[in-house]
Amino acid sequence: MRLTKFGHAAVRVEKDGQTLVIDPGTLSEPEALDGADAVLVTHDHFDHFDEERLRAAAGANPGLSIWTHPDVARQLEGLGAGRVHPVTHGDTFTAAGFDVQVHGEWHAPIHPDLPPSHNVGFVLDGELFYPGDAFTVPEQKIGTLLLLSHAPWANSTQIFDYARATGATRAFNTHDGLLNDAGLSLVGGLFDTLVPGLAYTKLAIGESAEI
């Protein structure tokens, strides 16, 4: 599979001529959805989910299908029968030629005064895991992790300990739209010291890697 990084939380994953997009939110470039066959959305926060943009993409491409938590699926009503698929922890399905497993239920806590929100993560082909805004550790061993670089609800200890806990041997950056270049370099440099068994690669927007 071929992974391409887009702004903040969005990625495109391509295999055998099909394209799957994960979390094309408002901080990501609109072209992330160009030519997509399927979209996965982890939760309904604006930086992961842009209803207007997703509806426009679905209108332009009648073959586009979406898999997401029921909270998001309810916001996409009216796109047509069989196009939006609500999924929760433990579900499995095939999207754009990828075998997908759903892991997790909750967004990481932001603050005790804020209500909890749902979040689902996705494992593609048993190899690539995108957890969304959560520190979910899949029951199975994964090889490649899409790892957040920064979030208002996370600290560096949590991020590095989470990378260790997953047992992944390779990681690529995501959730980094609020960091400047200095912050990105600092986070990337610490992985060599704090998670020595992890091959961490920082992709620029539009850059791709083969998995």
Side-chain angles (χ1 to χ4, degrees):
M1 67 181 80
R2 182 178 179 84
L3 171 75
T4 302
K5 161 77 173 155
F6 279 83
H8 192 56
V11 296
R12 285 169 63 98
V13 192
E14 299 166 272
K15 183 182 73 170
D16 298 334
Q18 296 193 75
T19 299
L20 182 151
V21 177
I22 308 177
D23 280 6
T26 60
L27 301 183
S28 305
E29 297 77 14
E31 55 266 30
L33 284 165
D34 289 352
D37 299 289
V39 176
L40 309 182
V41 179
T42 61
H43 64 290
D44 63 1
H45 290 169
F46 73 94
D47 53 333
H48 296 256
F49 170 57
D50 185 332
E51 179 184 351
E52 181 178 354
R53 190 181 297 173
L54 202 49
R55 284 185 178 276
N61 177 10
L64 179 68
S65 294
I66 302 160
W67 284 261
T68 185
H69 188 273
D71 289 350
V72 180
R74 282 189 286 270
Q75 300 180 52
L76 293 171
E77 291 180 354
L79 286 185
R83 299 195 66 186
V84 181
H85 308 272
V87 293
T88 56
H89 177 73
D91 287 343
T92 60
F93 56 92
T94 300
F98 292 91
D99 293 326
V100 185
Q101 299 170 319
V102 183
H103 293 267
E105 299 180 72
W106 296 102
H107 191 291
I110 300 174
H111 189 277
D113 290 347
L114 296 176
S117 57
H118 288 101
N119 177 95
V120 289
F122 301 102
V123 174
L124 276 57
D125 286 352
E127 168 63 26
L128 175 67
F129 182 45
Y130 188 107
D133 282 6
F135 293 122
T136 303
V137 178
E139 294 86 351
Q140 71 204 76
K141 181 175 176 56
I142 56 167
T144 305
L145 177 66
L146 289 171
L147 182 60
L148 68 97
S149 299
H150 168 267
W153 45 266
N155 61 49
S156 57
T157 297
Q158 290 174 304
I159 293 171
F160 296 123
D161 285 352
Y162 175 62
R164 293 175 180 177
T166 65
T169 56
R170 175 170 50 183
F172 295 95
N173 57 306
T174 188
H175 213 279
D176 52 10
L178 301 183
L179 287 179
N180 59 20
D181 289 342
L184 290 169
S185 296
L186 176 63
V187 171
L190 285 171
F191 277 102
D192 291 339
T193 300
L194 297 175
V195 197
L198 183 72
Y200 179 80
T201 301
K202 181 172 72 68
L203 297 177
I205 294 174
E207 188 176 3
S208 300
E210 298 294 333
I211 298 173

